[in-house]
């Protein structure tokens, strides 16, 4: 509380929690805490959580701990999601998110981008994201990164690039509410690759979002299709591949809006009435 932190994520052991006294439990309640437990203790904690709310507990992965720091280890994403759940308290349950594509929408399109140093924000992006968040819309990046599945670069490079994106935006006062990506090739048939909606559904479950109140913004028609499959609204921007996508005559998906860039998309989104929640 003194540091003004959004919350506290703790690694918990069942025997340690059993020894907690009243001050320990008061500190837990006051800190907006989430606890991460060993998967071997998950069943026991589920049957008897020792007075802790189950919704404030999650389990580490079953993978052995990494001998050195490794962004691709499953525990890293578990920790990241825990932090995002704490941040999600600021917008409350049932908020409509703005899911934003990365390449060609937030940053300059460079093909299969593998070097984090090649990330360059498009003009007006930080201001647009600040406006969306100020209006109560969580901003979540959803990106297809098939370069991993195609063998063009390792999974670690995606994490490095996404971390670089966060750093660039933080310099402008923007903290992304979440980052989700699919590393698979198009022919793998995975449920997480856009225009499938698994990434959006995971974000909605993690952060208590309403997909019917949400928007997807991207430079491809598949971003719009993703929005419609999730019963939200899709905006096509003309940056990146957007102008070519706008001219496609074979497209079966019609955007709810076609705009110049993310700044224009933000203005359009902020002018829209909120639909009735159908989730």
């Amino acid at each position: 509380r003194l540091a003004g932190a959004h919350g506290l994520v703790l690694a918990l052991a069942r025997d340690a929690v059993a020894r907690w006294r009243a001050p320990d439990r008061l500190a837990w309640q006051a800190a907006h805490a989430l606890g991460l437990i060993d998967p071997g203790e998950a069943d026991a904690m589920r049957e008897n959580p020792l007075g802790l709310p189950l919704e404030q507990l999650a389990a580490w992965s079953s993978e052995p701990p990494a001998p050195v720091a490794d962004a691709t280890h499953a525990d890293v994403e578990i920790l990241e999601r825990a932090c995002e759940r704490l941040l999600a308290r600021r917008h409350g349950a049932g908020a409509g998110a703005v899911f934003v594509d990365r390449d060609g929408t937030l940053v300059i399109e460079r093909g299969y981008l593998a070097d984090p140093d090649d990330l360059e924000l498009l003009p007006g992006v930080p201001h647009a994201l600040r406006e969306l968040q100020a209006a109560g819309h969580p901003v979540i990046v959803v990106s297809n990164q098939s370069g991993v599945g195609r063998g063009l670069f390792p999974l670690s490079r995606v994490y490095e690039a996404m971390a670089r994106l966060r750093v660039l935006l933080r310099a402008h006062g923007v903290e992304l509410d979440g980052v989700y990506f699919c590393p698979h090739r198009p022919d793998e048939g995975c449920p997480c690759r856009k225009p499938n909606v698994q990434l959006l559904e995971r974000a909605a479950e993690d952060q208590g979002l309403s997909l019917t109140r949400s928007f997807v913004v991207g430079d491809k028609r598949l971003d719009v299709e993703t929005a419609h499959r999730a019963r939200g609204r899709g905006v096509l921007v003309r940056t990146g591949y957007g102008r070519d996508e706008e001219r496609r005559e074979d497209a079966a998906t019609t955007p709810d809006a076609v705009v110049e860039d993310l700044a224009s998309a933000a203005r359009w989104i902020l002018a829209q009435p909120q639909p009735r929640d159908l989730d």
Side-chain angles (χ1 to χ4, degrees):
R1 282 181 174 272
L2 291 176
H6 290 285
L8 177 67
V9 180
L10 289 173
L12 297 181
R14 183 174 173 80
D15 59 347
V17 175
R19 295 193 299 270
W20 278 7
R21 296 179 178 272
D24 300 310
R25 295 188 178 276
L26 181 62
W28 166 272
Q29 295 168 1
H32 302 293
L34 289 173
L36 296 174
I37 60 176
D38 186 274
E41 296 187 326
D43 289 340
M45 287 295 283
R46 191 177 296 110
E47 293 177 5
N48 179 12
L50 302 175
L52 301 183
L54 285 176
E55 62 269 18
Q56 289 181 258
L57 300 176
W60 293 110
S61 76
S62 57
E63 294 184 18
V68 296
D70 180 6
T72 67
H73 193 283
D75 284 346
V76 175
E77 183 169 0
I78 289 172
L79 181 58
E80 184 176 11
R81 299 299 172 227
C83 293
E84 290 169 358
R85 284 175 59 191
L86 290 174
L87 288 172
R89 293 185 303 104
R90 64 188 178 187
H91 55 68
V98 178
F99 295 96
V100 188
D101 178 54
R102 191 190 76 179
D103 302 323
T105 305
L106 292 176
V107 303
I108 293 175
E109 174 62 52
R110 301 191 189 280
Y112 293 103
L113 190 150
D115 188 342
D117 290 336
D118 288 339
L119 263 77
E120 182 179 350
L121 295 175
L122 285 163
V125 163
H127 180 71
L129 298 184
R130 286 197 302 268
E131 285 193 324
L132 290 169
Q133 289 181 324
H137 292 289
V139 174
I140 298 174
V141 174
V142 283
S143 178
N144 289 342
Q145 293 294 318
S146 66
V148 176
R150 299 175 193 270
L152 301 178
F153 45 81
L155 182 62
S156 60
R157 298 310 294 267
V158 182
Y159 283 99
E160 291 169 6
M162 292 300 188
R164 176 64 177 163
L165 175 63
R166 286 187 180 275
V167 169
L168 291 174
L169 290 172
R170 283 172 184 157
H172 296 275
V174 177
E175 183 66 46
L176 293 172
D177 293 276
V179 174
Y180 296 76
F181 66 88
C182 169
H184 305 111
R185 299 189 314 273
D187 60 352
E188 291 186 70
C190 70
C192 61
R193 180 178 171 81
K194 296 181 295 184
N196 295 320
V197 298
Q198 186 184 77
L199 296 183
L200 275 64
E201 291 174 342
R202 284 174 54 197
E205 182 177 358
D206 290 342
Q207 301 195 26
L209 305 172
S210 167
L211 292 182
T212 57
R213 294 177 177 174
S214 295
F215 303 82
V216 180
V217 182
D219 65 325
K220 293 182 180 179
R221 297 265 183 172
L222 65 80
D223 295 301
V224 175
E225 184 178 349
T226 304
H228 292 172
R229 289 189 183 188
R231 298 183 299 164
R233 285 169 282 184
V235 182
L236 180 69
V237 292
R238 295 190 177 103
T239 49
Y241 294 111
R243 293 191 184 279
D244 292 337
E245 291 282 302
E246 182 184 11
R247 290 192 292 265
R248 278 178 52 191
E249 297 180 356
D250 61 337
T253 302
T254 302
D256 295 275
V258 179
V259 297
E260 287 300 313
D261 52 19
L262 186 65
S264 301
R267 289 192 292 271
W268 184 87
I269 289 169
L270 295 177
Q272 303 309 300
Q274 287 296 316
R276 183 171 59 90
D277 192 355
L278 300 176
D279 290 351

